[in-house]
Each structure stands twice: as structure tokens, then as C-alpha cells.
Amino acid sequence: MSLALRVEELAKHYVLKSETVRALRGVSFDVPEGDYVAIMGPSGSGKSTLLNLLGCLDQPTSGNFFLRDVSIAQLNDNQRSEVRAAHIGFVFQSYNLIPQLTVVENIEVPLYYQGNLAPDQRSYCKQLAEMVGLGDRLRHRPTQLSGGQQQRVAIARSLANNPYFILADEPTGNLDSATTHDILSLFESLNEQGKTIVIVTHEDEVASRVKRVIRLRDGEIDSDTRN
Amino acid sequence: MILKRFFQTLRLGVYSLLLHKLRSGLAVLGILIGITAVIWLVAMGEGVSYQAQQQIKDLGATNIIVRSVRPAQQGSSASSGLFLEYGLLREDFDLIVSNIRRATSDVLEQIVPLREIKKEARRHDLNLDVRVVGCTPEYLDLNHLTIDRGRFLTDSDNNPPENVAVLAAEAAKSLFPLENPINQTIQIDADFYRIVGVTEDRDPTAAIGGSLDSQDYNLDVYIPLATLRARIGDMIFTSRSGSREGEIVQLSQITIGLKDLTYVDAISEIVRKIVLEKHPNKDVKVIVPKELLRQAALLRMMFNVLLILIAGISLVVGGIGIMNIMLATVTERTREIGIRRALGAKRRNVIAQFLVESVVLTGIGGGLGVAFGFLCKPTINFARDLVMEISPETANTLPTTILELQPIIAPWSIIASLLISVGVGLIFGMYPAYRAANMDPIEALRHE
Ligand SMILES: Nc1ncnc2c1ncn2[C@@H]1O[C@H](COP(=O)(O)OP(=O)(O)OP(=O)(O)O)[C@@H](O)[C@H]1O
Ligand SMILES: [Mg+2]
């Protein structure tokens, strides 16, 4: 089975005036295509740091990181932007929709930065909205939607560029348990269709429904288990 | 493709600006005022300089004017005792004619000598201070005068000298309020003159920068030059501050009309040389309207530079307003910037987004400014009418430049205004846009 991600001895040190914070101290793991992984760990263990690296938002201090077989670690800002636009789908805890845009327009944003605006993109984005159950809300603005609905829009948006994997940062952190259940079902169905998903989470409910859990502690992998 | 992207960015910019209508409106206002000011000032400047140019053109750009000037009084040492003798001589006229003919053949359209004297014209019990102008038939065309009734002077009036006169409109009206003046007589000094014609009204020319006094043609009485010499003579008495003084002047002015503008420089050189030789004491001066035109053009250019300076300052102020708004926008939308970066926006995409917004702002300001610019003429006319109506006395004290000013909207000022407003948007939007683009995406996403 081919790999979606390969992480090799990835380390990130934050150099401050008085000290060096070693947020990640050499983490290695592989994520095969179609995997569904939760990254867990206590506060300060390095989850967000790892997520930023996997999302190509940051550069590692050392180690390497491959998306399929493309090495990411040494890319510059522009190239990382291109990788994000083409291959990564983001879902955030606080939804992070753009308030002045409508539902479809929000879903379109990644396509816009991808550089190849297909003429049928509008109908494609409508299909995505329908898939997450918001076909009747296309012209609404984010403020007119509930938290669960906003997160659905965000998931639809993360799919727009047909990414190698979806990177979700506490996607259910702001939702009640019923809505959390819905969102997890949505992720599950996406995973069944073959999407690779990596979720950073605190919640055991989430951890119990994924295929694999990686636990971090003090910037190192504490455990890596399959459900 | 690229166009589509651009329109998408544009639409986004407009969206975001509409989110803060008041704020965007105020920023637009700053640019609007600057641009309106540019267009109004340029329009008025063009209007004034057009006026000046018209006045100079009235003198005739192909003309060279040689005029006698009364030298400054040098106390009691007046050269010939009681009589002050100065100015152009009849032999100067012949000399100028022959010199021009010798230098280049066939450049003269006409050359007109004239003598003017302030006199009192009488008819029965009516009398009127007029300017008696002794001239030749060419005077009519040279000064763009037109005949209303009768005829103008002819060569046969000059030779032998006949006692005939042509009246200007105002003089005719004053001396013959009721009847037709043709074939009636008027008296000047002891002589009687038969009226053969009346000219139409002509607007007075304004004084031109100290070179020439303003001329009101409407109180003129035209008689043949030869008649003037025979009846009135060169010698005249004027009463100045009680004491009577005499002057001896042969000709007041010689106007040289050339066939083409290109001859003006060379011929004026020749004329100046003669004048310098014959009149070293500066009792004759040479006025070349073409040179005045050049000076007027220079003045206009200087005026425009000044305007650009003023406009520049007001646009910098407007631009600072834009920068201020854009910095606020960028800070406010840090989160949005983070989201867009995470979704794959490059730095230059972010720069483009905010630059488009600031250019939209200044572009709208520029567009509206141009629109308000077009209100210049109606507004000025309205204001002038208002002043006339409310207090005609104040209106009459205003200089004619203002009373007759017709602003002219220069096409270049519109194009420049639009370009400048876009330029201001680019320049003052640049720093805020760079600031947005250089944010760390991780920090920006964390921003509340
Ligand atoms: N920009 C930074 N500069 C300096 N130190 C940082 C920075 N970001 C993170 N750290 C440090 O790195 C370590 C790991 O932080 P990280 O945010 O990855 O933890 P986390 O697992 O996401 O915690 P939480 O669950 O509370 O979000 C912490 O000690 C944190 O203080
Ligand atoms: Mg965290």
C-alpha cells in the first residue's frame, strides 16, 4: 500500500532568548493512504507543532517529511503555499470560514489559489455542499449557520482541491456531542471513500472511532496503536 | 483566465469594502476632494490662460506693434522748452517699410501708421470726450472692426485730405442719440467733419502685462491720417495739473501686419534695430504679440506646476488616509489572512488582494472626483450669478478676469487624475499589503 505521509525524525525547536524549547524531538511514523489517524497527548506535548509541520505551515528544525514521495522539509514559503493549495485539506476547531463570503464561495477558496479555475468549479462546489448536507444553504453567510453546519462547510472546503489528506485540528472541540457524532460520521464516510484523514484531538470519543491513535508526550511518540 | 481571477479579486475587494461603508466612504472622500481640486484648479487656470491668449491674439499674432511712449518727465530740462517732442516720425515709417522690403520681399500684409489724440467732439449742444484716430483704410481689418452703417475711410479720403469721419458705436450713440449720423457733421476744435460711417460694438481689449494699456474702441472717431495732419497737426496742448503743456508727436503707432507667423521673429529683429538706432532714448517701444504669447505660455506652465504641487499635497494627505484605513483593515482581517494562507494563498496573492482594495478605494475617489470636476463650470457660473443678483456693486468691483472667467476642463487633467488616483492607491496600499503578506500564517490563524 502506498504512503500518504512519511515522517522521519521530525524535530522542531523554538529558540527563545533564555532557552530553547524542544517542542518536537524526532518523531517518525508513516501514514498509508486511506488511514484514519488521531493524534493525542497532554497539553504542551507538541500536537499543534506537529500539525503545523504536517500542514506545511512551518519548517522543521531537522528531520524530513514526505507527502506521497515529495520531500517538504526544504521547501520555501512559496513552494509550501503551492503544496497546501494542491494537496492538503484543512479543518479547524473554530471553522475559520471567511465571513464575507457565502457557503459556495467559501468552498471555492482553495480552488482559487490552486491556479486552475475550471469552468465547472461552481457546480463542483455545489456538489460538495450537497454532499455535506448543505445543498439548500448555498447563498447563506457563515454567521447564518450553526456551528455544526459551519464545520460541514469547512469539511466541504477541505475536499475542494481533492487533497492527499485532510488535516483536522480539534474539529469537534466547539461542538456538542450530537453534532460531534454527525461530524465524525461524515469523516468516517469520507474515509470509507478512501480519503486519508489526520485528526488532532483531546476527546476520547473521537479516539474511539478512528483506525489508529498516536499519542505524544514531551515531543516524542508515546504510543502508536490501531483500534 | 487571468481576467477571471482579477475580477474575482476585484469582487472580493468590493465586498470587503462594503462591509465598512462609512469607513470606506471617508477614505474615498479624501481622494475625491483632492482630485476635484486638481480638476477645478486646472480648469480655472486653463480658462484664465485662454482669456489671456485670446487677448493677445486679438492684437494679432502676426502683427508687430511699434508705439510712441511719452518719456518720463525730466524736470525743467525738457529738450525743446515748452514742447516735448518724442515718438515715431513719419520718416521712421518710410524707413521701416523700405528696410522690410529690402530684407525680404512679399512678407507685408499691411503696414498701418496712426496718430491718436484725445479731443472733445461737439455737435450742437452735445459734447463728448473721444479718441481721434488718424489712420488709413487698413485700420479696419487690422483691428477686426466691422462697419455697421455707411463705409470706412478710403484711400481717396486721404489724398487729398478730406474732412470725413467714421464714428465708433458708443460715440455715435452719444452724439446722435435719435437720428442717423450718416452725412451729419461733428466739430472737433474749429473744424467740421462729415460722418460717412459707423462701426459696430467691439469688446475692449484688456491691458497686457504692462506692455499695452487696455483699449476701448467704442469712443473712437476715425479720420484720415492726412486730414489729421492738415487740420490738427503734430503739436497739441494738454493741460496737466493746471499748467498747459505741449507735445509734438508725429505718429502714435505703426502696426505691421505680416503674412505668416514664421516671419515675425526676423522682422521684429529688423524693426528693433531701426528703433534702437533712431530712438536711443526709449521714446518708442516694440511690442510683439507672438512673444507675449510665448510668455503667457511660460506663465501658464509655471501656474500648472504650482497647481500640481498643491494637488500633490492634497493627494498625499488623501493617500495617508487610505494607508490608515488599509492598515486597520489588515489588522482586523489577520485571521482571514491566516485562513487564506493555510488554504494555499501565496504572499503575492495576499498583496494583490489588499492592493486591489486600496486601488478600488482611490479609483472610486478619482472617478467621483472627475464627476465633481465637471461641475466646475456650472458652479462658478451659478456663484457669479448669485453675487451679481445679491450685490451688483461687489460684482462690479471684481476684476474682469473673474467676471468673464470660463473654466475649461482639460482632457489631460481627467486622464492624469484617474492615473494619479490609481497610483495613490498602489503607493499607499503597498505597505499595508506587504504587512499582510509577511504575517506568519500560524500566528495569523491564532489571532482572535
Ligand atoms: N511559537 C512558539 N514559540 C515558542 N515556543 C512554542 C511555540 N509554539 C509552541 N511552543 C512550545 O512548544 C511546546 C509544544 O506546544 P504545542 O502548541 O505543540 O502543544 P500542544 O500539544 O498543541 O498543546 P495544547 O494541547 O495545549 O494545544 C510547548 O511547550 C509550547 O510552549
Ligand atoms: Mg495545540
Side-chain angles (χ1 to χ4, degrees), chain B residues 191-225:
Chain B
D191 300 293
F192 291 90
Y193 298 84
R194 184 169 60 88
I195 310 296
V196 294
V198 176
T199 60
E200 267 179 32
D201 256 334
R202 184 186 192 278
D203 291 336
T205 63
I208 295 157
S211 307
L212 211 58
D213 297 335
S214 71
Q215 276 199 51
D216 187 349
Y217 292 92
N218 292 327
L219 284 172
D220 284 356
V221 173
Y222 306 105
I223 62 174
L225 183 62

mmCIF file of all heavy atoms in Angstrom, chain B residues 191-225:
data_model
loop_
_atom_site.group_PDB
_atom_site.id
_atom_site.type_symbol
_atom_site.label_atom_id
_atom_site.label_comp_id
_atom_site.label_asym_id
_atom_site.label_seq_id
_atom_site.Cartn_x
_atom_site.Cartn_y
_atom_site.Cartn_z
ATOM 1 N N ASP B 191 -12.739 122.605 -36.668
ATOM 2 C CA ASP B 191 -13.087 122.015 -37.953
ATOM 3 C C ASP B 191 -14.325 121.133 -37.877
ATOM 4 O O ASP B 191 -14.619 120.543 -36.841
ATOM 5 C CB ASP B 191 -11.905 121.174 -38.453
ATOM 6 C CG ASP B 191 -10.679 122.023 -38.612
ATOM 7 O OD1 ASP B 191 -10.671 122.884 -39.484
ATOM 8 O OD2 ASP B 191 -9.719 121.816 -37.799
ATOM 9 N N PHE B 192 -14.999 121.061 -39.002
ATOM 10 C CA PHE B 192 -16.191 120.227 -39.097
ATOM 11 C C PHE B 192 -15.890 119.003 -39.943
ATOM 12 O O PHE B 192 -15.155 119.072 -40.916
ATOM 13 C CB PHE B 192 -17.342 121.028 -39.717
ATOM 14 C CG PHE B 192 -17.828 122.102 -38.782
ATOM 15 C CD1 PHE B 192 -17.274 123.378 -38.823
ATOM 16 C CD2 PHE B 192 -18.822 121.807 -37.859
ATOM 17 C CE1 PHE B 192 -17.712 124.348 -37.942
ATOM 18 C CE2 PHE B 192 -19.260 122.791 -36.982
ATOM 19 C CZ PHE B 192 -18.706 124.073 -37.018
ATOM 20 N N TYR B 193 -16.475 117.900 -39.556
ATOM 21 C CA TYR B 193 -16.242 116.638 -40.267
ATOM 22 C C TYR B 193 -17.576 116.012 -40.599
ATOM 23 O O TYR B 193 -18.499 116.021 -39.783
ATOM 24 C CB TYR B 193 -15.426 115.659 -39.400
ATOM 25 C CG TYR B 193 -14.042 116.166 -39.040
ATOM 26 C CD1 TYR B 193 -13.856 117.017 -37.953
ATOM 27 C CD2 TYR B 193 -12.924 115.793 -39.790
ATOM 28 C CE1 TYR B 193 -12.607 117.496 -37.616
ATOM 29 C CE2 TYR B 193 -11.670 116.262 -39.450
ATOM 30 C CZ TYR B 193 -11.510 117.120 -38.365
ATOM 31 O OH TYR B 193 -10.275 117.575 -38.031
ATOM 32 N N ARG B 194 -17.660 115.467 -41.805
ATOM 33 C CA ARG B 194 -18.878 114.799 -42.232
ATOM 34 C C ARG B 194 -18.771 113.310 -41.869
ATOM 35 O O ARG B 194 -17.754 112.661 -42.120
ATOM 36 C CB ARG B 194 -19.027 114.952 -43.750
ATOM 37 C CG ARG B 194 -20.309 114.377 -44.333
ATOM 38 C CD ARG B 194 -20.472 114.832 -45.775
ATOM 39 N NE ARG B 194 -19.355 114.401 -46.605
ATOM 40 C CZ ARG B 194 -19.302 113.222 -47.229
ATOM 41 N NH1 ARG B 194 -20.311 112.384 -47.121
ATOM 42 N NH2 ARG B 194 -18.257 112.898 -47.967
ATOM 43 N N ILE B 195 -19.841 112.795 -41.276
ATOM 44 C CA ILE B 195 -19.826 111.376 -40.875
ATOM 45 C C ILE B 195 -20.145 110.528 -42.089
ATOM 46 O O ILE B 195 -21.158 110.739 -42.754
ATOM 47 C CB ILE B 195 -20.899 111.089 -39.797
ATOM 48 C CG1 ILE B 195 -20.832 112.092 -38.650
ATOM 49 C CG2 ILE B 195 -20.769 109.650 -39.277
ATOM 50 C CD1 ILE B 195 -19.573 112.047 -37.867
ATOM 51 N N VAL B 196 -19.261 109.545 -42.380
ATOM 52 C CA VAL B 196 -19.524 108.670 -43.521
ATOM 53 C C VAL B 196 -19.838 107.235 -43.092
ATOM 54 O O VAL B 196 -20.319 106.440 -43.888
ATOM 55 C CB VAL B 196 -18.343 108.646 -44.510
ATOM 56 C CG1 VAL B 196 -18.160 110.008 -45.158
ATOM 57 C CG2 VAL B 196 -17.062 108.185 -43.808
ATOM 58 N N GLY B 197 -19.584 106.908 -41.827
ATOM 59 C CA GLY B 197 -19.850 105.532 -41.410
ATOM 60 C C GLY B 197 -19.854 105.378 -39.894
ATOM 61 O O GLY B 197 -19.395 106.265 -39.165
ATOM 62 N N VAL B 198 -20.382 104.233 -39.444
ATOM 63 C CA VAL B 198 -20.408 103.903 -38.016
ATOM 64 C C VAL B 198 -19.953 102.449 -37.883
ATOM 65 O O VAL B 198 -20.391 101.585 -38.653
ATOM 66 C CB VAL B 198 -21.840 104.054 -37.435
ATOM 67 C CG1 VAL B 198 -21.870 103.623 -35.970
ATOM 68 C CG2 VAL B 198 -22.333 105.483 -37.576
ATOM 69 N N THR B 199 -19.054 102.190 -36.911
ATOM 70 C CA THR B 199 -18.608 100.797 -36.705
ATOM 71 C C THR B 199 -19.468 100.121 -35.654
ATOM 72 O O THR B 199 -20.125 100.777 -34.848
ATOM 73 C CB THR B 199 -17.145 100.734 -36.242
ATOM 74 O OG1 THR B 199 -17.022 101.443 -35.006
ATOM 75 C CG2 THR B 199 -16.224 101.345 -37.271
ATOM 76 N N GLU B 200 -19.402 98.786 -35.660
ATOM 77 C CA GLU B 200 -20.143 98.015 -34.666
ATOM 78 C C GLU B 200 -19.386 97.998 -33.346
ATOM 79 O O GLU B 200 -18.193 98.263 -33.296
ATOM 80 C CB GLU B 200 -20.327 96.577 -35.168
ATOM 81 C CG GLU B 200 -21.628 96.384 -35.903
ATOM 82 C CD GLU B 200 -21.765 94.958 -36.392
ATOM 83 O OE1 GLU B 200 -21.263 94.048 -35.721
ATOM 84 O OE2 GLU B 200 -22.371 94.773 -37.470
ATOM 85 N N ASP B 201 -20.126 97.629 -32.300
ATOM 86 C CA ASP B 201 -19.514 97.467 -30.974
ATOM 87 C C ASP B 201 -18.340 96.514 -31.041
ATOM 88 O O ASP B 201 -18.379 95.522 -31.757
ATOM 89 C CB ASP B 201 -20.542 96.818 -30.026
ATOM 90 C CG ASP B 201 -21.132 97.847 -29.088
ATOM 91 O OD1 ASP B 201 -20.452 98.852 -28.833
ATOM 92 O OD2 ASP B 201 -22.264 97.621 -28.631
ATOM 93 N N ARG B 202 -17.304 96.779 -30.274
ATOM 94 C CA ARG B 202 -16.231 95.804 -30.160
ATOM 95 C C ARG B 202 -15.814 95.765 -28.702
ATOM 96 O O ARG B 202 -15.678 96.798 -28.058
ATOM 97 C CB ARG B 202 -15.037 96.222 -31.025
ATOM 98 C CG ARG B 202 -13.911 95.199 -31.041
ATOM 99 C CD ARG B 202 -12.723 95.763 -31.784
ATOM 100 N NE ARG B 202 -11.715 94.752 -32.078
ATOM 101 C CZ ARG B 202 -10.794 94.351 -31.199
ATOM 102 N NH1 ARG B 202 -10.770 94.853 -29.986
ATOM 103 N NH2 ARG B 202 -9.907 93.451 -31.552
ATOM 104 N N ASP B 203 -15.615 94.537 -28.176
ATOM 105 C CA ASP B 203 -15.194 94.416 -26.781
ATOM 106 C C ASP B 203 -13.835 95.063 -26.606
ATOM 107 O O ASP B 203 -12.957 94.909 -27.456
ATOM 108 C CB ASP B 203 -15.091 92.943 -26.387
ATOM 109 C CG ASP B 203 -16.467 92.309 -26.342
ATOM 110 O OD1 ASP B 203 -17.441 93.063 -26.152
ATOM 111 O OD2 ASP B 203 -16.563 91.085 -26.520
ATOM 112 N N PRO B 204 -13.668 95.777 -25.519
ATOM 113 C CA PRO B 204 -12.363 96.379 -25.299
ATOM 114 C C PRO B 204 -11.308 95.301 -25.067
ATOM 115 O O PRO B 204 -11.606 94.239 -24.539
ATOM 116 C CB PRO B 204 -12.554 97.215 -24.034
ATOM 117 C CG PRO B 204 -13.781 96.716 -23.403
ATOM 118 C CD PRO B 204 -14.615 96.060 -24.451
ATOM 119 N N THR B 205 -10.086 95.536 -25.472
ATOM 120 C CA THR B 205 -9.010 94.604 -25.141
ATOM 121 C C THR B 205 -8.485 94.965 -23.766
ATOM 122 O O THR B 205 -8.522 96.125 -23.357
ATOM 123 C CB THR B 205 -7.847 94.707 -26.139
ATOM 124 O OG1 THR B 205 -7.296 96.019 -26.030
ATOM 125 C CG2 THR B 205 -8.309 94.467 -27.548
ATOM 126 N N ALA B 206 -8.022 93.944 -23.064
ATOM 127 C CA ALA B 206 -7.517 94.205 -21.721
ATOM 128 C C ALA B 206 -6.056 94.636 -21.815
ATOM 129 O O ALA B 206 -5.393 94.437 -22.826
ATOM 130 C CB ALA B 206 -7.641 92.945 -20.892
ATOM 131 N N ALA B 207 -5.615 95.239 -20.729
ATOM 132 C CA ALA B 207 -4.198 95.592 -20.675
ATOM 133 C C ALA B 207 -3.389 94.308 -20.618
ATOM 134 O O ALA B 207 -3.809 93.318 -20.042
ATOM 135 C CB ALA B 207 -3.931 96.426 -19.434
ATOM 136 N N ILE B 208 -2.234 94.308 -21.247
ATOM 137 C CA ILE B 208 -1.426 93.095 -21.239
ATOM 138 C C ILE B 208 -0.112 93.366 -20.542
ATOM 139 O O ILE B 208 0.760 94.044 -21.059
ATOM 140 C CB ILE B 208 -1.183 92.604 -22.664
ATOM 141 C CG1 ILE B 208 -2.517 92.191 -23.263
ATOM 142 C CG2 ILE B 208 -0.226 91.431 -22.676
ATOM 143 C CD1 ILE B 208 -2.513 92.219 -24.733
ATOM 144 N N GLY B 209 -0.063 92.828 -19.346
ATOM 145 C CA GLY B 209 1.144 92.858 -18.526
ATOM 146 C C GLY B 209 2.047 94.068 -18.709
ATOM 147 O O GLY B 209 3.240 93.901 -18.904
ATOM 148 N N GLY B 210 1.513 95.275 -18.659
ATOM 149 C CA GLY B 210 2.343 96.470 -18.687
ATOM 150 C C GLY B 210 2.837 96.831 -20.076
ATOM 151 O O GLY B 210 3.353 97.920 -20.295
ATOM 152 N N SER B 211 2.682 95.931 -21.051
ATOM 153 C CA SER B 211 3.181 96.229 -22.389
ATOM 154 C C SER B 211 2.237 97.155 -23.136
ATOM 155 O O SER B 211 2.651 97.946 -23.966
ATOM 156 C CB SER B 211 3.317 94.953 -23.204
ATOM 157 O OG SER B 211 4.072 94.036 -22.495
ATOM 158 N N LEU B 212 0.970 97.003 -22.861
ATOM 159 C CA LEU B 212 -0.005 97.751 -23.625
ATOM 160 C C LEU B 212 -1.175 98.076 -22.710
ATOM 161 O O LEU B 212 -1.643 97.227 -21.968
ATOM 162 C CB LEU B 212 -0.483 96.874 -24.787
ATOM 163 C CG LEU B 212 -0.894 97.574 -26.056
ATOM 164 C CD1 LEU B 212 0.259 98.424 -26.588
ATOM 165 C CD2 LEU B 212 -1.288 96.534 -27.090
ATOM 166 N N ASP B 213 -1.642 99.332 -22.789
ATOM 167 C CA ASP B 213 -2.808 99.680 -21.991
ATOM 168 C C ASP B 213 -4.037 99.035 -22.607
ATOM 169 O O ASP B 213 -4.056 98.672 -23.766
ATOM 170 C CB ASP B 213 -2.989 101.208 -21.969
ATOM 171 C CG ASP B 213 -1.801 101.884 -21.312
ATOM 172 O OD1 ASP B 213 -1.137 101.219 -20.500
ATOM 173 O OD2 ASP B 213 -1.552 103.060 -21.632
ATOM 174 N N SER B 214 -5.080 98.941 -21.793
ATOM 175 C CA SER B 214 -6.303 98.395 -22.345
ATOM 176 C C SER B 214 -6.871 99.396 -23.343
ATOM 177 O O SER B 214 -6.649 100.595 -23.229
ATOM 178 C CB SER B 214 -7.307 98.140 -21.229
ATOM 179 O OG SER B 214 -7.783 99.348 -20.733
ATOM 180 N N GLN B 215 -7.543 98.885 -24.354
ATOM 181 C CA GLN B 215 -8.074 99.758 -25.390
ATOM 182 C C GLN B 215 -9.570 99.598 -25.493
ATOM 183 O O GLN B 215 -10.072 98.505 -25.696
ATOM 184 C CB GLN B 215 -7.455 99.391 -26.735
ATOM 185 C CG GLN B 215 -6.118 100.051 -26.964
ATOM 186 C CD GLN B 215 -5.774 100.053 -28.433
ATOM 187 O OE1 GLN B 215 -6.578 100.477 -29.241
ATOM 188 N NE2 GLN B 215 -4.599 99.572 -28.750
ATOM 189 N N ASP B 216 -10.269 100.712 -25.355
ATOM 190 C CA ASP B 216 -11.700 100.691 -25.576
ATOM 191 C C ASP B 216 -11.956 101.368 -26.918
ATOM 192 O O ASP B 216 -11.690 102.547 -27.081
ATOM 193 C CB ASP B 216 -12.406 101.438 -24.442
ATOM 194 C CG ASP B 216 -13.900 101.284 -24.551
ATOM 195 O OD1 ASP B 216 -14.361 100.797 -25.592
ATOM 196 O OD2 ASP B 216 -14.594 101.652 -23.591
ATOM 197 N N TYR B 217 -12.402 100.578 -27.873
ATOM 198 C CA TYR B 217 -12.569 101.121 -29.229
ATOM 199 C C TYR B 217 -13.870 101.891 -29.398
ATOM 200 O O TYR B 217 -14.121 102.462 -30.437
ATOM 201 C CB TYR B 217 -12.565 99.986 -30.251
ATOM 202 C CG TYR B 217 -11.236 99.300 -30.388
ATOM 203 C CD1 TYR B 217 -10.909 98.181 -29.637
ATOM 204 C CD2 TYR B 217 -10.296 99.791 -31.288
ATOM 205 C CE1 TYR B 217 -9.688 97.565 -29.772
ATOM 206 C CE2 TYR B 217 -9.074 99.171 -31.431
ATOM 207 C CZ TYR B 217 -8.774 98.055 -30.674
ATOM 208 O OH TYR B 217 -7.567 97.438 -30.822
ATOM 209 N N ASN B 218 -14.704 101.861 -28.352
ATOM 210 C CA ASN B 218 -16.068 102.312 -28.584
ATOM 211 C C ASN B 218 -16.287 103.814 -28.529
ATOM 212 O O ASN B 218 -17.366 104.304 -28.824
ATOM 213 C CB ASN B 218 -17.018 101.600 -27.632
ATOM 214 C CG ASN B 218 -17.100 100.129 -27.995
ATOM 215 O OD1 ASN B 218 -17.006 99.788 -29.165
ATOM 216 N ND2 ASN B 218 -17.210 99.278 -26.997
ATOM 217 N N LEU B 219 -15.266 104.561 -28.110
ATOM 218 C CA LEU B 219 -15.405 106.020 -28.110
ATOM 219 C C LEU B 219 -14.436 106.651 -29.111
ATOM 220 O O LEU B 219 -13.916 107.736 -28.883
ATOM 221 C CB LEU B 219 -15.155 106.580 -26.700
ATOM 222 C CG LEU B 219 -16.313 106.362 -25.720
ATOM 223 C CD1 LEU B 219 -15.920 106.760 -24.319
ATOM 224 C CD2 LEU B 219 -17.551 107.125 -26.163
ATOM 225 N N ASP B 220 -14.224 105.961 -30.227
ATOM 226 C CA ASP B 220 -13.272 106.448 -31.223
ATOM 227 C C ASP B 220 -13.970 107.266 -32.309
ATOM 228 O O ASP B 220 -15.137 107.047 -32.630
ATOM 229 C CB ASP B 220 -12.573 105.265 -31.904
ATOM 230 C CG ASP B 220 -11.523 104.641 -31.000
ATOM 231 O OD1 ASP B 220 -11.303 105.192 -29.896
ATOM 232 O OD2 ASP B 220 -10.938 103.619 -31.379
ATOM 233 N N VAL B 221 -13.185 108.200 -32.851
ATOM 234 C CA VAL B 221 -13.605 108.883 -34.076
ATOM 235 C C VAL B 221 -12.455 108.705 -35.057
ATOM 236 O O VAL B 221 -11.330 109.106 -34.782
ATOM 237 C CB VAL B 221 -13.856 110.385 -33.827
ATOM 238 C CG1 VAL B 221 -14.126 111.098 -35.149
ATOM 239 C CG2 VAL B 221 -15.015 110.590 -32.866
ATOM 240 N N TYR B 222 -12.730 108.031 -36.181
ATOM 241 C CA TYR B 222 -11.674 107.769 -37.147
ATOM 242 C C TYR B 222 -11.706 108.815 -38.254
ATOM 243 O O TYR B 222 -12.766 109.051 -38.846
ATOM 244 C CB TYR B 222 -11.844 106.375 -37.765
ATOM 245 C CG TYR B 222 -11.933 105.303 -36.712
ATOM 246 C CD1 TYR B 222 -13.147 104.702 -36.399
ATOM 247 C CD2 TYR B 222 -10.804 104.913 -35.993
ATOM 248 C CE1 TYR B 222 -13.241 103.743 -35.409
ATOM 249 C CE2 TYR B 222 -10.881 103.956 -35.006
ATOM 250 C CZ TYR B 222 -12.107 103.371 -34.712
ATOM 251 O OH TYR B 222 -12.193 102.428 -33.733
ATOM 252 N N ILE B 223 -10.551 109.452 -38.496
ATOM 253 C CA ILE B 223 -10.448 110.389 -39.622
ATOM 254 C C ILE B 223 -9.213 110.022 -40.428
ATOM 255 O O ILE B 223 -8.322 109.336 -39.925
ATOM 256 C CB ILE B 223 -10.374 111.863 -39.131
ATOM 257 C CG1 ILE B 223 -9.124 112.089 -38.281
ATOM 258 C CG2 ILE B 223 -11.617 112.233 -38.321
ATOM 259 C CD1 ILE B 223 -8.913 113.552 -37.894
ATOM 260 N N PRO B 224 -9.130 110.430 -41.669
ATOM 261 C CA PRO B 224 -7.933 110.101 -42.454
ATOM 262 C C PRO B 224 -6.695 110.698 -41.809
ATOM 263 O O PRO B 224 -6.743 111.806 -41.269
ATOM 264 C CB PRO B 224 -8.214 110.746 -43.809
ATOM 265 C CG PRO B 224 -9.696 110.920 -43.856
ATOM 266 C CD PRO B 224 -10.129 111.153 -42.450
ATOM 267 N N LEU B 225 -5.593 109.925 -41.860
ATOM 268 C CA LEU B 225 -4.348 110.371 -41.230
ATOM 269 C C LEU B 225 -3.884 111.710 -41.816
ATOM 270 O O LEU B 225 -3.455 112.614 -41.092
ATOM 271 C CB LEU B 225 -3.271 109.300 -41.427
ATOM 272 C CG LEU B 225 -1.918 109.566 -40.772
ATOM 273 C CD1 LEU B 225 -2.066 109.660 -39.262
ATOM 274 C CD2 LEU B 225 -0.911 108.478 -41.128
#
